[in-house]
Amino acid sequence: MDETLFRTLLLQGEGPELDFKRDQYTFSGANDQDKSKLLKDILTFGNSWRLGAAHILIGVDDLGNGQRDPRGIASGDHIDDASIQQFVNSKTNRHLKFSYQAFQFDGKSFGVISIPKQKRPFYVNKDYGIAKAGEVYYRRGSSCAVATPDEIHQMGVDDDKEFRTSPIIHIELADLARRTVLGTAIRLLPSSTRPTQEPIIPTS
């Protein structure tokens, strides 16, 4: 996160890539019900259809009509990134990549949760607070929805296309008669200069 991106996000509306939270999530010392709100929000953005990374900006009040109040939060209210990582990924079916960052803007402190695009779906293995086992949450507009079996299947199809790795083939030439390696490139000579007996393959 940098100042330019943060300022740009403040001018955008909530959706599959962005959410505003006026207050910090209740985490340290909280009960399962309260902590599950953070868990469910991260799962929701992790599963959403989007073009780029998703962000949850904590300390920003969405006033409606396109107006935002970046009021910030107390510096002591930030949550340790490692603690959230351990909490979330101890309950999900697969490792979910995300980060929590304490960010300074206009002299105020904000929490920023960033969630890159990655293979889906994500869900909790056991019921935890408001997060139900096996339910795949995703962002539909500015609200949370539960994916249907067809939508879950489409997640797999879309992600397989996007994250499929292309095979890389390395070719190295050799002179089998002389048992020598010739390199990885061939230079073709014009026919007027080409030997009549055998082609010349330069070594690299």
Side-chain angles (χ1 to χ4, degrees), residues 1-11 57-60 68-73 78 101-112:
M1 179 61 62
D2 56 41
E3 189 171 306
T4 299
L5 177 56
F6 190 87
R7 186 183 294 109
T8 300
L9 292 175
L10 290 177
L11 298 174
L57 304 187
I58 303 166
V60 179
R68 319 276 184 262
D69 177 15
R71 59 176 60 193
I73 60 175
H78 288 295
Q101 175 187 5
F103 184 74
Q104 297 295 315
F105 177 79
D106 198 21
K108 301 173 184 177
S109 188
F110 299 85
V112 178

Side-chain angles (χ1 to χ4, degrees), residues 36-157:
S36 67
K37 296 175 183 177
L38 170 60
L39 173 62
K40 185 177 179 181
D41 280 351
I42 293 176
L43 289 170
T44 299
F45 279 103
N47 287 321
S48 293
W49 276 273
R50 46 196 167 88
L51 297 176
H55 302 282
I56 302 174
L57 304 187
I58 303 166
V60 179
D61 191 5
D62 187 359
L63 303 176
N65 299 320
Q67 300 297 312
R68 319 276 184 262
D69 177 15
R71 59 176 60 193
I73 60 175
S75 58
D77 288 345
H78 288 295
I79 307 173
D80 176 61
D81 176 73
S83 297
I84 306 179
Q85 298 281 348
Q86 194 280 330
F87 165 69
V88 171
N89 284 300
S90 67
K91 303 187 183 309
T92 53
N93 62 309
R94 65 171 72 186
H95 183 78
L96 200 165
K97 299 176 184 176
F98 70 96
S99 64
Y100 179 94
Q101 175 187 5
F103 184 74
Q104 297 295 315
F105 177 79
D106 198 21
K108 301 173 184 177
S109 188
F110 299 85
V112 178
I113 297 176
S114 300
I115 307 159
K117 292 185 68 176
Q118 54 203 292
K119 283 192 173 184
R120 306 162 290 173
F122 299 101
Y123 52 85
V124 292
N125 295 312
K126 297 180 180 179
D127 287 358
Y128 184 82
I130 62 174
K132 302 305 178 183
E135 288 194 346
V136 177
Y137 306 108
Y138 74 99
R139 190 89 164 180
R140 180 184 292 161
S142 59
S143 61
C144 174
V146 178
T148 64
D150 284 345
E151 288 171 330
I152 295 173
H153 171 72
Q154 193 61 49
M155 289 180 186
V157 171

